[in-house]
Amino acid sequence: MTKLLTHDHPLAFLRDSLGLGAEPYLRRVAKRHAALGYGTMATRREKVSRWENGTAVPELTAQLAMADLHRVPPEAVHTLGWPDWLLLTLDNRTAIDLPWTQSGMLHALADTARGGLLMDRRGFLIATGATLTGAADHWFNSLGHPAPEPSGGRMRVNQQMVDRIEQRLDDLRRMDDTLGSGTLRPLAAEELRFAARLLDDAQYTEDIGRRLHSAVAEACRINGWLAFDAGQHAAAQRYYLTALRAAASADDHATGANTLAFMAIQVYSVGRPAEAVDLVQTAQSAVARTATPRVQAMLNARLARAYAKAGQQTDCAHALSAAYAALDRGPHDDDPAWSYWFSPGELENLAGSCALDLGDPQRALRHFDAALATAYGQSDYQRDHALFLTRAAEAHLAQDDVDHAVGRATEAVALLGGVASARSSGSLDSLCAQLARRRTSDTARDFLNSYAG
């Protein structure tokens, strides 16, 4: 098996992907260096060795020549610094265009894991429409294939090690509920790199291999969610698409379906609800015979949110009804570990969000209040609780009830004090923009002044 994750420096990874040795690569850089008016540049291979082992940093003009060679904007060199700007040379389309094979999965994983802290300044999706739904179909059609062949790598992975990896991922999920993406992204990226390295360079049995592939898929899914929560859509989607590939290699229907559900959140949040419906329906097809009631409820709730975003009230109501009916069947011993968060309170909040999107703030508030009655506000879901409080404030504001809107907004601000979440903060900023139009109210004005301070 080709070792794709064993490069110790992004420049080594980049050169390897181009098939260039140190001197041929330097000759290309030197030619661009001269063309840009920076003069001649030495092309001894020792120069690259020092760059890649960390004993030297390229001069700024050399970095600018390299950036120009790889079509990276010069401002990224100044902003990100060496070697972080090199991560921008990784191609987001790798996660889409590679074949849906074990080798294709490993190549996509190498790019994705290497770019764990990539600063996504573009903020757009890399796949939409038929490209996006086609990726979901590729995942679905890849299910049921034989398990990955045992690796012949240097390390040995046993059951206890995979148990620990799965536990660490569970810890990440639960910390995210309270801390948000800004705090956890570096840690989550490192967990992915660790699990991916084991997958690529370890020995394991067929059963351990499946579990390890599933763990890598979930690590990608977590990183995708954290990137989305930080507002970095291209990075998030690349993680999600790679998660689907790893889930397919593990023949893990449930983890892949959960990934599609999170992809749906992303696409309906940026105004593409029809694609979100397609993604969730593909997920439902994949787990039609195996999903526990809680997973069925979660998928139906996500389908309802997509329908609400599309303004399809009847379809939304049917999906919510199915979600309530499934959740009423109670928890099961075989519920996936990642499904813990989907509770009666969460469903009420999602139903409230649907009602708000469909222009029924009164019904929305009934659902938001029902969520609080389940003690949702006393749970550890600090980030999401703040988000739903903000939506409740929007519902109050839609009824011209400024005082209650400010009351809920004040609670949200207090909860977000220790949470780094661009998604929740952005919702609060949007609410403030609505309150700004009601500055004639002393309550609104006092809140806005306090929030700005």
Side-chain angles (χ1 to χ4, degrees):
M1 180 186 299
T2 302
K3 301 297 180 285
L4 299 168
L5 297 165
T6 54
H7 301 90
D8 293 325
H9 195 279
L11 180 57
F13 181 86
L14 174 60
R15 287 194 305 102
D16 187 57
S17 67
L18 295 172
L20 291 174
E23 289 186 13
Y25 178 75
L26 274 179
R27 285 197 293 271
R28 290 194 183 188
V29 176
K31 183 177 180 180
R32 194 61 56 93
H33 193 272
L36 292 170
Y38 299 141
T40 59
M41 185 180 117
T43 57
R44 296 187 303 274
R45 67 173 177 227
E46 292 82 3
K47 183 190 291 271
V48 170
S49 297
R50 291 196 297 271
W51 292 349
E52 293 178 358
N53 65 27
T55 60
V57 173
E59 293 183 357
L60 179 60
T61 56
Q63 291 189 49
L64 292 171
M66 293 163 66
D68 189 70
L69 179 65
H70 300 298
R71 296 188 176 91
V72 173
E75 56 267 22
V77 175
H78 298 287
T79 302
L80 299 181
W82 177 268
D84 289 349
W85 70 261
L86 284 170
L87 299 176
L88 297 177
T89 63
L90 300 177
D91 185 3
N92 274 320
R93 290 203 57 89
T94 298
I96 303 171
D97 295 335
L98 284 169
W100 282 73
T101 60
Q102 178 71 358
S103 175
M105 185 278 294
L106 287 171
H107 277 82
L109 179 60
D111 275 1
T112 300
R114 176 64 71 178
L117 292 178
L118 176 66
M119 293 181 67
D120 170 16
R121 296 179 176 274
R122 293 164 294 179
F124 56 77
L125 300 178
I126 60 173
T128 58
T131 302
L132 179 60
T133 56
D137 290 339
H138 277 303
W139 167 74
F140 184 81
N141 293 329
S142 298
L143 296 172
H145 290 179
E149 294 182 3
S151 169
R154 296 170 295 178
M155 298 173 282
R156 188 178 299 276
V157 179
N158 57 25
Q159 178 176 327
Q160 289 72 28
M161 187 177 293
V162 180
D163 288 343
R164 293 189 180 99
I165 292 171
E166 291 170 349
Q167 181 59 56
R168 287 159 70 102
L169 293 176
D170 193 51
D171 290 340
L172 273 177
R173 287 189 292 260
R174 293 174 187 272
M175 285 191 290
D176 171 55
D177 296 332
T178 300
L179 298 176
S181 59
T183 304
L184 289 179
R185 286 194 70 200
L187 179 59
E190 192 56 44
E191 290 290 340
L192 173 59
R193 281 192 287 270
F194 172 70
R197 187 180 292 273
L198 289 182
L199 189 68
D200 189 44
D201 192 18
Q203 299 177 36
Y204 42 77
T205 64
E206 181 177 308
D207 179 63
I208 295 299
R210 284 188 184 277
R211 289 181 62 191
L212 195 52
H213 278 79
S214 290
V216 166
E218 176 61 1
C220 286
R221 201 277 309 165
I222 291 171
N223 275 276
W225 168 250
L226 294 175
F228 165 70
D229 189 54
Q232 297 185 356
H233 289 292
Q237 199 171 62
R238 188 170 72 181
Y239 281 120
Y240 287 148
L241 290 166
T242 305
L244 288 181
R245 290 178 179 275
S249 292
D251 196 28
D252 187 339
H253 297 222
T255 298
N258 188 41
T259 299
L260 287 176
F262 276 82
M263 292 173 72
I265 298 173
Q266 181 183 29
V267 295
Y268 70 55
S269 296
V270 297
R272 307 185 74 91
E275 292 166 27
V277 169
D278 289 339
L279 293 176
V280 178
Q281 289 178 336
T282 300
Q284 289 177 315
S285 297
V287 296
R289 298 180 180 179
T290 58
T292 65
R294 175 177 280 181
V295 172
Q296 292 174 12
M298 181 273 291
L299 291 174
N300 275 299
R302 284 297 161 216
L303 187 60
R305 291 292 288 122
Y307 281 136
K309 290 287 187 181
Q312 296 174 233
Q313 185 168 351
T314 301
D315 290 328
C316 176
H318 288 159
L320 280 176
S321 178
Y324 279 108
L327 199 59
D328 283 345
R329 290 159 58 191
H332 279 218
D333 291 339
D334 56 344
D335 280 333
W338 46 255
S339 68
Y340 70 94
W341 61 272
F342 196 78
S343 63
E346 185 75 23
L347 179 53
E348 291 292 352
N349 277 322
L350 292 175
S353 297
C354 288
L356 188 61
D357 286 337
L358 290 168
D360 191 343
Q362 188 173 7
R363 182 160 60 91
L365 287 172
R366 288 199 298 270
H367 285 296
F368 290 136
D369 289 341
L372 293 176
T374 69
Y376 184 88
Q378 300 171 29
S379 69
D380 293 329
Y381 307 123
Q382 194 168 324
R383 187 261 321 280
D384 287 350
H385 183 37
L387 179 64
F388 290 127
L389 283 171
T390 303
R391 290 177 182 170
E394 291 179 11
H396 282 297
L397 210 53
Q399 295 181 309
D400 291 323
D401 186 348
V402 176
D403 289 346
H404 279 94
V406 168
R408 294 289 178 92
T410 301
E411 293 179 65
V413 170
L415 281 171
L416 285 176
V419 178
S421 167
R423 178 168 164 258
S424 297
S425 299
S427 295
L428 196 54
D429 290 342
S430 176
L431 175 67
C432 287
Q434 297 176 52
L435 284 169
R437 295 193 288 270
R438 292 170 169 82
R439 277 190 173 272
T440 53
S441 162
D442 291 341
T443 306
R445 187 167 56 253
D446 290 346
F447 171 81
L448 290 170
N449 291 337
S450 174
Y451 184 63

